[in-house]
Amino acid sequence: MNRPAKTLACLILASLGQARAAPPDAGPGRFAFDRIVLDADFPGAYQVEVADVDGDGKPDVVALGGDVCAWYQNPSWTKRIITSGKTAPGVISSATADLDGDGKAEVAVAYEFEMNQPKRGKLLLAKQGASLDASWTLLPIEDLGSIHRLRWGDLDADGKLDLIVAPIFGPDAVPPGFDDPARLVAYVAVDVHEASRWKKRPLTSRRVAHAIEYQPTFADVAHPTVLAADNQGVTLIGPLATDAEPDAVDLAPGAAGEAPKRGASEIHRGRLRDGRLFLATLEPWHGSEVVVWPQKAAGGREFGPRVVLDDTLADGHALWVADLDGDGQDEVFAGHRGKDHRVSLYDYDESTSSWRRTVVDRDVAPQDLRGGDLDGDGRPDVVAAGGSARNVVWYRLRPR
């Protein structure tokens, strides 16, 4: 590393250790967005995905909430229903991918979720009909109590996607502590026609497992892993390339506190300009803080110190990471659905050696944030599921 780059890396590391919560309004910053409403009337919008549903090479948007899972076709943003209250009430998560290579995506849907009835929960696979407007065929997979998050990933490196499932609680969890840990599993040998061929593989147990993220590689682990945000903080589960029970390694403890208001609630991996990773989290469960945990050394699995970017969220529930300006430094998007709800952007400012906040939107009560290049301009976009604001909103970065 040359001297200027080494000096910059040292400054970033030092400032990360000294950063404090952002002020209530840090100004417009370097980023401005066009706000495009894809759906102005989606009651309880809870989760959003960016994925190519119809196989035309353009990323579409999948959103769910209440009793509806729907997709919006790029670029007209025509809304089409995948599941409804009659077929899959109480939807809570989806995972979209083309599993059989026919050019049309399938959608795994978790439904019948009920916070205080952890034995309830079901999983299905939705398959497209003969035309875009035809009804989807629904393949029931299994009852799985407290089912809460779904993600596709190739766990065994066989070139085929497996489904990672995180229930939030164990079947005997009761409030207020929800003490029974969640049993995370993966479904391998996924078959789009026959549910009996799916093979369930146990992964690990974690307490209040609120979010997961699939990683093809992570730090010094060259095999697929899963990051989990839970009451124990951020957990690295893996490697997952064999049938052996994977290790569960604590990467960051998250926020201190009494269960279940402790640990971490959301997790995404980010990257600093000097090449090190960071863990972006919301803390604690449904908490108030946006946090970054920088990697202590490139390639290692030690993270810290804990850096609070913002401590003013009310019921934080949405997080995303993306390099908006292509400078090698990821920005962090975060949102909360409670009082004074908003989506905010946090970027690292080298001139002040600190993270600064830009409020992106106050007319949304975000329950989820996801990204992708929706307009094909080569720059990341972000989509929010708007919760009590009943909307699905696309934020398109304006060129400088």
Side-chain angles (χ1 to χ4, degrees):
M1 183 183 294
N2 61 39
R3 181 175 296 274
K6 185 176 182 179
T7 301
L8 175 61
C10 293
L11 285 172
I12 291 176
L13 180 59
S15 67
L16 285 172
Q18 298 169 1
R20 294 295 183 265
D25 187 356
R30 297 185 296 116
F31 301 101
F33 298 87
D34 294 321
R35 183 181 189 271
I36 303 165
V37 178
L38 303 183
D39 194 333
D41 188 17
F42 196 133
Y46 184 80
Q47 184 193 282
V48 66
E49 291 186 86
V50 176
D52 184 3
V53 175
D54 56 2
D56 65 354
K58 299 175 183 177
D60 307 297
V61 171
V62 179
L64 61 79
D67 292 328
V68 173
C69 179
W71 73 285
Y72 303 81
Q73 186 182 16
N74 188 345
S76 68
W77 307 114
T78 300
K79 180 179 181 179
R80 295 182 173 89
I81 303 299
I82 299 173
T83 64
S84 66
K86 293 182 179 179
T87 55
V91 288
I92 193 71
S93 187
S94 67
T96 303
D98 180 4
L99 301 175
D100 55 6
D102 67 352
K104 298 187 295 184
E106 287 74 35
V107 182
V109 179
Y111 66 107
E112 284 198 5
F113 174 84
E114 174 56 52
M115 178 74 77
N116 294 322
Q117 297 184 44
K119 290 183 172 65
R120 288 184 55 181
K122 294 183 178 181
L123 174 66
L124 64 78
L125 185 71
K127 303 180 291 183
Q128 293 186 53
S131 68
L132 293 179
D133 295 312
S135 297
W136 289 58
T137 300
L138 307 183
L139 177 68
I141 304 301
E142 187 173 15
D143 288 9
L144 187 62
S146 204
I147 190 169
H148 191 255
R149 288 290 182 267
L150 308 176
R151 297 290 185 268
W152 292 109
D154 183 1
L155 300 186
D156 49 12
D158 66 352
K160 299 178 181 178
L161 291 176
D162 310 298
L163 184 64
I164 308 152
V165 181
I168 188 172
F169 309 128
D172 297 319
V174 294
F178 299 104
D179 294 327
D180 192 28
R183 282 71 155 171
L184 280 67
V185 300
Y187 289 89
V188 299
V190 170
D191 189 305
V192 301
H193 304 293
E194 181 54 61
S196 65
R197 297 179 182 175
W198 291 40
K199 179 182 177 182
K200 185 163 67 175
R201 174 188 171 191
L203 296 181
T204 190
S205 295
R206 307 302 290 178
R207 184 170 169 176
V208 189
H210 190 261
I212 52 175
E213 181 174 68
Y214 169 75
Q215 294 288 327
T217 63
F218 183 84
D220 60 349
V221 182
H223 302 287
T225 61
V226 172
L227 296 176
D230 52 56
N231 257 196
Q232 290 138 287
V234 178
T235 305
L236 178 69
I237 304 168
L240 302 170
T242 69
D243 289 334
E245 182 174 347
D247 295 331
V249 179
D250 295 331
L251 295 181
E258 294 294 324
K261 291 292 187 178
R262 58 176 297 167
S265 191
E266 302 290 337
I267 174 64
H268 287 296
R269 184 192 74 167
R271 188 173 297 277
L272 299 168
R273 188 174 291 107
D274 64 6
R276 289 178 299 124
L277 305 178
F278 66 80
L279 306 173
T281 60
L282 297 184
E283 301 179 11
W285 179 46
H286 292 175
S288 60
E289 297 177 327
V290 185
V291 177
V292 161
W293 297 81
Q295 192 178 32
K296 291 186 176 181
R301 275 184 268 175
E302 292 187 7
F303 290 82
R306 181 176 186 264
V307 184
V308 178
L309 309 189
D310 196 343
D311 64 359
T312 64
L313 278 66
D315 204 358
H317 206 273
L319 186 71
W320 189 249
V321 171
D323 182 2
L324 294 178
D325 52 7
D327 66 351
Q329 170 87 32
D330 282 333
E331 285 73 47
V332 177
F333 284 84
H336 65 272
R337 60 192 183 182
K339 183 180 179 181
D340 298 325
H341 48 66
R342 63 179 180 265
V343 170
S344 297
L345 164 70
Y346 306 84
D347 70 294
Y348 185 77
D349 182 5
E350 293 179 4
S351 66
T352 60
S353 299
S354 64
W355 293 79
R356 59 185 179 183
R357 186 182 74 182
T358 300
V359 175
V360 177
D361 189 6
R362 296 185 185 274
D363 294 323
V364 64
Q367 304 213 73
D368 193 23
L369 292 163
R370 300 284 188 95
D373 183 5
L374 295 183
D375 57 2
D377 67 354
R379 298 177 300 173
D381 303 299
V382 177
V383 183
S388 61
R390 302 168 62 105
N391 50 15
V392 179
V393 183
W394 166 22
Y395 304 107
R396 181 173 61 194
L397 183 66
R398 294 175 188 164
R400 288 190 291 165

